[in-house]
Amino acid sequence: MLTITHTHEAGTIIEGTSKGDGSAAVLKANRWRWGRSIAAWYVPNSRDHRPNRHRIEATAAALREAGFEVETVIDDTTRTTAEVEAGKIARQADRVDALEAKAERKSAAADAAWEAAKRDLARLPEGGEPIKIGHHSEGRHRAAIARADRSMGHSVATQAEADRAAERAETATHTTGARYNPVTVANRIEKIAADIRRVERQIEADRYDPETGYQPASDELKAARAKRAAPRLAELRDQLEYWEGVRAQQIADGTATGYTREQIQKGDLVKIRGHWREVVRTNVKTVSLTTGYSWTDTAPYAEIQAHKRP
């Protein structure tokens, strides 16, 4: 018996598979991946999201066709955005710790490999003495050169692995900070608000009739759409409330500026990415800036670091 489960916290995973039972081919065909850390197959990007019922049902049907017994257990309950973000931050901290520990192990291995390479090089005859063809030392000399060559190659490869591990660990330390970068937060708020508006438009959208074309949707149809969309809208509105709170705190702390169209005028100077630029025009979401050429650049208000009037 194979069991496909979905929860908001764990995502979509399958239990009961074993190596060589034939399930891997079916799961790969349905775009599942093997999770080494959880020792199970999972649907990518399913954690902290609502269940993809279409993929779950298609996978279950394909597995049953292949001769497996399959049951599905789906929990539609969603966590708050605050809980989701706390989980992400904790997992990222654990990942940083793991990568830093791995980098330390790789660095120690690289140091040991370099010491071994130096020892093998020291065993070679001094002064780069050539191999004496036919002499009783020929075999020993060739073996020493080969050993030194292998040791040096291993040292170089091990150091490269250590460098890559260190780079990954360093990058991981900035992931959460990048996610909460003030500009990123502002852009995320814009995207979530756009998603909410799109779902609301879908509820109110006209219906299509093959004979008469597009017609206004009835109240009953709108109510049915609203019922289906309610969980998604609730999730999006919770996300919007959370990130607006984050941005408000960033503005209060001074890590974000929070300039708006009402505060900026044509001819003002604004600081964008460390450089002062003159404002040519204020738009709804962006400002148009001089470039010194015949064209202008645009930048969102969230990127304005400082502002002054000439």
Side-chain angles (χ1 to χ4, degrees), residues 240-255:
L240 183 63
E241 181 181 359
Y242 175 84
W243 290 109
E244 284 180 337
V246 170
R247 178 152 179 80
Q249 187 61 51
Q250 289 177 338
I251 293 173
D253 294 341
T255 56

Side-chain angles (χ1 to χ4, degrees), residues 255-267:
T255 56
T257 53
Y259 288 109
T260 63
R261 188 180 189 182
E262 288 71 27
Q263 298 168 284
I264 310 297
Q265 298 177 7
K266 179 180 178 180

Side-chain angles (χ1 to χ4, degrees), residues 55-83:
R55 185 181 295 189
I56 292 173
E57 292 168 2
T59 301
L63 287 168
R64 292 188 183 106
E65 188 176 346
F68 294 94
E69 291 185 49
V70 184
E71 66 174 355
T72 59
V73 181
I74 299 176
D75 183 358
D76 278 323
T77 306
T78 59
R79 298 183 297 159
T80 65
T81 305
E83 292 173 321

Side-chain angles (χ1 to χ4, degrees), residues 12-241:
T12 305
I13 62 176
I14 186 167
E15 300 172 338
T17 63
S18 58
K19 189 174 182 178
D21 65 358
S23 60
V26 178
L27 294 170
K28 286 180 181 178
N30 284 274
R31 294 176 295 166
W32 289 58
R33 290 182 186 171
W34 173 255
R36 185 171 57 182
S37 62
I38 60 175
W41 290 90
Y42 70 99
V43 173
N45 301 318
S46 59
R47 176 183 280 171
D48 300 327
H49 288 83
R50 298 183 59 76
N52 185 335
R53 292 182 179 273
H54 175 74
R55 185 181 295 189
I56 292 173
E57 292 168 2
T59 301
L63 287 168
R64 292 188 183 106
E65 188 176 346
F68 294 94
E69 291 185 49
V70 184
E71 66 174 355
T72 59
V73 181
I74 299 176
D75 183 358
D76 278 323
T77 306
T78 59
R79 298 183 297 159
T80 65
T81 305
E83 292 173 321
V84 169
E85 287 301 312
K88 287 182 178 180
I89 292 171
R91 289 196 301 272
Q92 186 60 25
D94 291 341
R95 183 169 182 268
V96 169
D97 291 341
L99 287 173
E100 288 179 342
K102 182 179 181 180
E104 289 179 4
R105 292 195 303 271
K106 293 289 186 182
S107 180
D111 291 342
W114 171 237
E115 292 300 325
K118 288 196 295 183
R119 287 195 300 270
D120 289 337
L121 286 171
R123 293 191 182 101
L124 295 176
E126 294 183 4
E129 181 180 345
I131 297 173
K132 299 175 181 177
I133 307 301
H135 192 265
H136 66 82
S137 63
E138 179 183 355
R140 185 171 62 253
H141 196 164
R142 290 186 184 277
I145 292 175
R147 184 167 54 251
D149 184 62
R150 288 194 302 271
S151 296
M152 183 57 70
H154 178 63
S155 175
V156 171
T158 306
Q159 185 60 55
E161 290 180 4
D163 291 342
R164 286 195 294 271
E167 288 174 3
R168 290 185 65 195
E170 174 63 20
T171 300
T173 61
H174 302 294
T175 299
T176 297
R179 181 171 175 78
Y180 280 79
N181 176 278
V183 176
T184 302
V185 170
N187 291 338
R188 185 175 293 117
I189 290 171
E190 290 288 339
K191 180 183 182 304
I192 295 172
D195 289 341
I196 291 173
R197 292 193 297 271
R198 184 176 64 253
V199 174
E200 291 174 340
R201 286 197 301 269
Q202 290 171 348
I203 294 173
E204 299 293 328
D206 293 345
R207 65 177 182 84
Y208 179 74
D209 186 292
E211 295 182 356
T212 60
Y214 285 98
Q215 300 293 330
S218 64
D219 292 340
E220 292 78 7
L221 179 57
K222 291 179 182 179
R225 289 173 177 171
K227 184 177 180 180
R228 288 195 301 271
R232 176 58 176 160
L233 272 177
E235 186 177 28
L236 287 171
R237 285 166 179 159
D238 181 69
Q239 291 175 2
L240 183 63
E241 181 181 359

